[in-house]
Amino acid sequence: MLLAVDCGNTNTVFSLWDGKSFMGMWRTATDWKRTADQYFVWLDTLMKLQGIDAKITDMIISSTVPRVVFNLRVLSDRYFDTRPLVVGKSDCLLPVDVRVDTGTTVGPDRLVNTVAGYDKHGGDLIIVDFGTATTFDVVDLDGAYVGGVIAPGVNLSLEALHQAAAALPHVDISKPQAVVGTNTIACMQSGVFWGYVGLVREICDRIRAERGTEMKVISTGGLAPLFQQSADLFDAFEEDLTMHGLQIIHSYNKDVGTSE
């Protein structure tokens, strides 16, 4: 049984793969101070509540927060008696090429999404991930990661607006009923929602023009369903793209190890 862990700047997601499908998925706030023991008690309790009695034999980790990885490694070693694969480390092989400037470190989440996106949709792809940052990952025809764009995340922009302007309240993002707001909250929601719709459309158009080819645009991440309401922005929405990519990378490394 494979335990896949996706650690982002805001949340960490654990998911259990039985070889055919994901049996369960659990989310917790990312906290580098959380110990391996705390992870295990939390995960074991949630699994039992769902009636899942599974022996975890393998673990793979994708983390954009390096300080979290140590305790996740301890969790894998102490409680599952296995050495985890960590995306981005030299011993974790990828089934796709990475073609960026020499010395550039690409976020592991972006590599995992590239692998998953190519597996599901083929090449010539733009993957828009609505996370703490809004990222655009460009996948070449052969599945290689060839670069991308990083913009501030939606919630990050709202929080910055609230903190920098004393008169503006904290608001939750939603699709406004009209572009022109008639109160402060509606004005802020309109600015952020339609502003990001414009940002996504413009960046994707410029990527297509620069590469001189048509490209599918796939959305993922926590706020992707909200922007999926603008039907002309995306060709598809993938809720569990990162988990799918982690499972593929783990399987690839297993196959490579078996063939050696």
Side-chain angles (χ1 to χ4, degrees):
M1 197 77 68
L2 171 67
L3 179 64
V5 183
D6 172 30
C7 177
N9 290 295
T10 305
N11 293 313
T12 299
V13 181
F14 291 71
S15 195
L16 203 58
W17 173 260
D18 66 0
K20 295 181 180 179
S21 61
F22 285 106
M23 298 174 61
M25 191 173 296
W26 306 277
R27 186 180 302 267
T28 185
T30 299
D31 182 359
W32 67 268
K33 293 180 287 186
R34 184 172 287 117
T35 67
D37 301 331
Q38 289 173 314
Y39 278 123
F40 179 75
V41 170
W42 171 81
L43 183 62
D44 186 58
T45 300
L46 290 174
M47 288 173 60
K48 287 178 178 176
L49 284 172
Q50 290 187 221
I52 297 175
D53 183 16
K55 180 176 173 55
I56 295 171
T57 58
D58 297 270
M59 186 166 165
I60 184 169
I61 303 166
S62 169
S63 178
T64 58
V65 186
R67 297 177 77 181
V68 172
V69 175
F70 174 78
N71 282 324
L72 289 173
R73 283 185 180 274
V74 175
L75 169 70
S76 182
D77 177 65
R78 179 179 298 168
Y79 290 102
F80 309 133
D81 193 28
T82 185
R83 184 171 184 267
L85 275 173
V86 180
V87 179
K89 300 299 182 182
S90 59
D91 60 341
C92 183
L93 305 177
L94 297 176
V96 298
D97 195 14
V98 180
R99 294 197 284 267
V100 294
D101 294 344
T102 302
T104 299
T105 300
V106 180
D109 55 329
R110 306 180 76 179
L111 299 176
V112 174
N113 284 350
T114 294
V115 170
Y118 180 65
D119 179 73
K120 283 179 169 286
H121 299 279
D124 280 339
L125 204 64
I126 303 170
I127 301 172
V128 184
D129 189 348
F130 292 92
T132 304
T134 300
T135 59
F136 299 73
D137 297 315
V138 180
V139 184
D140 210 345
L141 182 61
D142 63 353
Y145 176 86
V146 293
V149 177
I150 300 175
V154 178
N155 285 322
L156 195 63
S157 295
L158 276 171
E159 188 62 29
L161 195 61
H162 167 60
Q163 291 183 357
L168 296 181
H170 175 79
V171 300
D172 293 324
I173 181 65
S174 65
K175 184 178 181 179
Q177 295 182 343
V179 176
V180 179
T182 55
N183 57 70
T184 302
I185 290 177
C187 289
M188 293 174 66
Q189 289 175 332
S190 181
V192 171
F193 181 85
W194 293 114
Y196 271 84
V197 167
L199 180 144
V200 170
R201 181 178 288 114
E202 181 70 13
I203 288 178
C204 289
D205 284 349
R206 286 182 176 272
I207 290 173
R208 290 189 186 100
E210 188 169 281
R211 295 185 60 79
T213 185
E214 283 300 312
M215 305 181 76
K216 290 182 181 177
V217 182
I218 310 302
S219 69
T220 190
L223 287 175
L226 172 65
F227 289 94
Q228 191 70 17
Q229 296 177 41
S230 294
D232 61 332
L233 280 182
F234 308 109
D235 295 289
F237 162 63
E238 296 288 350
E239 183 177 9
D240 302 321
L241 192 67
T242 305
M243 286 300 167
H244 181 68
L246 285 172
Q247 176 266 317
I248 293 173
I249 293 170
H250 174 265
S251 178
Y252 178 76
N253 279 266
K254 283 289 187 182
D255 291 343
V256 170
T258 302
S259 64
E260 290 179 349

